[in-house]
């Protein structure tokens, strides 16, 4: 037999992969071509049911854990060996794309089918995982499933968190897991021999360089905050400006001052106010309450500490008589992947004669939590104009299949060590 990794890579089928991606994209499909499949929603539940159906089709064993991560397990010849894990997430942004997350999960399913069709046995089991709530758009923080698995967050502190409709993680999790009854449950955090995640780049570099594979070396650090500004509702016609505690006026001054403080001539700092809510939202009432979020990212911990240390003082300095609370929702330090998996990904990209480059990830991924547990890496493929977290997110069947080929070959390699 030819080299098992090469056999597995050659057995990846572009059209089968594309068909499964489009089947998944139909769940939570938006009229504009994107998807809205938010964490622990009815759409997320249907996505998991589809995964379980694929497991039955492929003879994989589905199982889950206490935070609802969903695993599809392919047995190895040594059933006591720690498994190699691959996967990503099925939940999307509310106005998301077809490929963010879903590609990594479905490329994992394709890799397992390709390995089986190539008649390749591996010593270790290989499992495909769909991590719970990677996006963090409905329930903050994000990456809950992989963070609980890695011990970075504890489930009891997450269960009471509610979405904007007041539904708790606990309630939504119970309803979602109920959609795939009868599958076995394991305690999260079981030992892993390795983790490899395929993902679209969500940036423009691979496309600009005309390359197919990103050999991911690191993930930048990120901090998320929620700022609440408490002023005083008042009559818009009778209340002099000098007497107001206008929460909107104060919040706008805070955001302006923060954007000035975060200005970076090298354009490396990522500072985003993605949510800005004004209450009570009546044209003739002075706003009494504003809630806004901050997503801050940078590759260096020292810069993260230095710049985010200014957030609270700047908010307080622009309070204009309002009350201000600054809450840190999530804090994920920069992560560097080990040489082991990086070199493995690069070698299989070379073996498949695919153009590749080493590159860090600007986006966060579940791999940032798993990297402390075992040899971890990621494979990027290009997406059109680098667009993501947008219904227009797109990628070609050829590039997606190429990434799945590298994934299948590398998984066989890792699972036979
Ligand atoms: O926000 C992120 O970086 C990821 O795409 N959820
Ligand atoms: Mn993602
Ligand atoms: Mn995302």
């Amino acid at each position: 037999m030819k080299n098992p990794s090469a056999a597995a890579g050659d057995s990846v089928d572009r059209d089968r992969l594309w068909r499964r991606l489009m089947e998944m994209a139909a769940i939570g499909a938006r009229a504009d071509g994107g998807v809205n499949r938010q964490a622990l929603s009815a759409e997320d539940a249907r996505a998991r049911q589809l995964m379980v159906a694929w497991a039955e089709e492929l003879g994989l064993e589905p199982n889950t854990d206490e935070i609802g991560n969903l695993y599809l397990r392919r047995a190895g010849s040594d059933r006591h060996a720690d498994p190699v894990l691959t996967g990503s997430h099925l939940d999307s942004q509310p106005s998301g794309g077809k490929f963010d997350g879903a590609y990594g999960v479905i490329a994992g399913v394709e890799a397992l089918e390709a390995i089986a069709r190539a008649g390749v046995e591996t010593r270790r089991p290989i499992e495909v995982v769909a991590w719970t709530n990677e996006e963090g758009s409905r329930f903050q923080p994000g990456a809950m499933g992989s963070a609980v698995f890695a011990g970075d967050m504890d489930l009891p502190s997450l269960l009471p968190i509610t979405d904007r409709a007041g539904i708790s993680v606990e309630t939504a999790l119970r309803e979602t897991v109920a959609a795939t009854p009868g599958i076995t449950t394991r305690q999260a955090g079981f030992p892993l021999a390795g983790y490899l995640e395929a993902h679209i780049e969500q940036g423009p570099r691979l496309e600009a360089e005309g390359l197919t594979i990103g050999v991911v070396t690191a993930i930048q650090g990120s901090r998320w905050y929620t700022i609440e500004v408490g002023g005083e509702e008042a009559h818009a016609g009778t209340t002099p400006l000098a007497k107001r505690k206008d929460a909107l006026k104060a919040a706008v001054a805070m955001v302006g001052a923060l954007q000035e403080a975060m200005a970076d001539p090298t354009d490396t700092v990522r500072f985003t106010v993605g949510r800005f809510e004004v209450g009570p939202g009546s044209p003739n009432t002075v706003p009494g309450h504003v809630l806004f979020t901050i997503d801050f990212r940078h590759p260096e911990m020292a810069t993260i500490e230095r710049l985010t240390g200014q957030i609270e003082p700047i908010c307080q300095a622009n309070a204009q008589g309002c009350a201000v609370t600054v809450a840190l929702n999530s804090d994920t330090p920069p992560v560097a992947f080990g040489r082991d998996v990086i070199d493995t990904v690069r070698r299989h990209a070379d073996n498949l004669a695919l153009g590749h480059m080493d590159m860090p990830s600007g986006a966060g991924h579940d791999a940032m939590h798993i990297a402390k547990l075992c040899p971890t890496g990621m494979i990027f493929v290009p997406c059109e104009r680098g667009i993501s977290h947008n219904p227009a997110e797109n990628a070609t069947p050829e590039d997606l299949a190429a990434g799945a080929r590298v994934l299948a070959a590398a998984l066989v390699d890792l699972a036979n060590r």
Side-chain angles (χ1 to χ4, degrees):
M1 161 193 263
K2 72 161 90 160
N3 164 310
S5 280
D10 290 349
S11 170
V12 164
D13 182 300
R14 181 199 66 184
D15 297 338
R16 188 171 60 210
L17 173 63
W18 186 258
R19 173 176 55 75
R20 285 204 173 101
L21 282 164
M22 292 306 111
E23 218 177 322
M24 184 59 75
I27 300 176
R30 292 163 46 102
D32 56 10
V35 293
N36 178 6
R37 193 171 53 236
Q38 295 186 59
L40 303 178
S41 62
E43 292 77 16
D44 194 1
R46 287 190 6 242
R48 291 157 187 249
Q49 289 170 332
L50 183 55
M51 282 272 286
V52 171
W54 287 339
E56 277 149 24
E57 190 187 307
L58 298 175
L60 304 173
E61 184 207 337
N63 57 93
T64 186
D65 62 25
E66 65 271 31
I67 182 74
N69 295 316
L70 180 59
Y71 308 86
L72 307 186
R73 180 180 172 98
R74 179 179 194 262
S77 55
D78 174 358
R79 65 192 192 84
H80 299 297
D82 295 341
V84 171
L85 205 53
T86 185
S88 191
H89 58 95
L90 294 174
D91 67 299
S92 79
Q93 289 284 322
S95 171
K98 298 186 182 76
F99 304 100
D100 177 1
Y103 170 59
V105 175
I106 296 169
V109 173
E110 174 55 32
L112 291 192
E113 177 159 4
I115 290 167
R117 286 176 179 271
V120 170
E121 276 306 307
T122 58
R123 182 171 79 82
R124 297 181 178 282
I126 303 175
E127 300 196 33
V128 180
V129 62
W131 298 109
T132 295
N133 187 27
E134 189 278 342
E135 292 291 0
S137 51
R138 179 185 179 195
F139 297 109
Q140 290 82 39
M144 279 186 184
S146 50
V148 166
F149 187 97
D152 289 340
M153 293 180 201
D154 78 313
L155 185 60
S157 69
L158 301 177
L159 292 177
I161 290 171
T162 56
D163 65 6
R164 286 186 226 182
I167 298 169
S168 70
V169 167
E170 183 169 25
T171 302
L173 178 60
R174 189 175 50 247
E175 289 168 1
T176 303
V177 172
T180 49
I183 62 174
T184 49
T185 298
R186 255 181 319 187
Q187 182 77 25
F190 49 86
L192 299 174
Y195 178 68
L196 184 52
E197 179 170 352
H199 207 288
I200 53 169
E201 179 197 342
Q202 298 179 295
R205 293 184 63 194
L206 288 172
E207 185 183 61
E209 303 278 343
L211 297 171
T212 309
I213 300 294
V215 181
V216 185
T217 54
I219 299 179
Q220 67 178 340
S222 72
R223 282 184 174 169
W224 282 13
Y225 295 84
T226 299
I227 317 292
E228 295 211 56
V229 183
E232 185 176 59
E233 293 177 14
H235 194 294
T238 58
T239 315
L241 268 60
K243 296 271 186 221
R244 293 181 180 191
K245 288 183 182 173
D246 184 334
L248 176 75
K249 190 163 168 283
V252 166
M254 290 173 201
V255 172
L258 285 167
Q259 284 170 333
E260 236 172 83
M262 301 299 169
D264 167 16
T266 70
D267 198 0
T268 308
V269 166
R270 297 286 179 267
F271 175 83
T272 309
V273 175
R275 189 172 155 193
F276 193 97
E277 290 168 4
V278 185
S282 162
N284 49 356
T285 297
V286 174
H289 180 261
V290 169
L291 177 149
F292 66 90
T293 59
I294 290 174
D295 174 323
F296 180 92
R297 311 203 193 189
H298 197 277
E300 287 139 29
M301 200 63 219
T303 304
I304 293 172
E305 298 282 11
R306 178 173 57 83
L307 289 178
T308 58
Q310 298 179 37
I311 290 174
E312 173 116 31
I314 286 174
C315 289
Q316 295 299 350
N318 288 277
Q320 301 177 12
C322 296
V324 185
T325 59
V326 177
L328 176 63
N329 305 124
S330 84
D331 183 1
T332 311
V335 168
F337 295 142
R339 297 302 329 156
D340 180 359
V341 179
I342 290 174
D343 293 345
T344 301
V345 170
R346 194 184 306 109
R347 183 169 63 253
H348 289 292
D350 273 334
N351 293 347
L352 287 161
L354 294 168
H356 59 81
M357 63 187 277
D358 286 16
M359 61 191 296
S361 174
H365 301 284
D366 294 299
M368 62 200 174
H369 291 292
I370 307 304
K372 73 168 72 61
L373 305 177
C374 63
T376 293
M378 291 189 73
I379 301 166
F380 275 172
V381 294
C383 57
E384 196 176 310
R385 294 187 300 121
I387 298 284
S388 185
H389 284 196
N390 180 315
E393 180 186 279
N394 194 25
T396 67
E398 290 71 24
D399 286 343
L400 296 166
R405 288 198 178 90
V406 175
L407 180 68
L411 286 174
V412 169
D413 194 334
L414 294 170
N416 279 331
R417 287 187 192 168

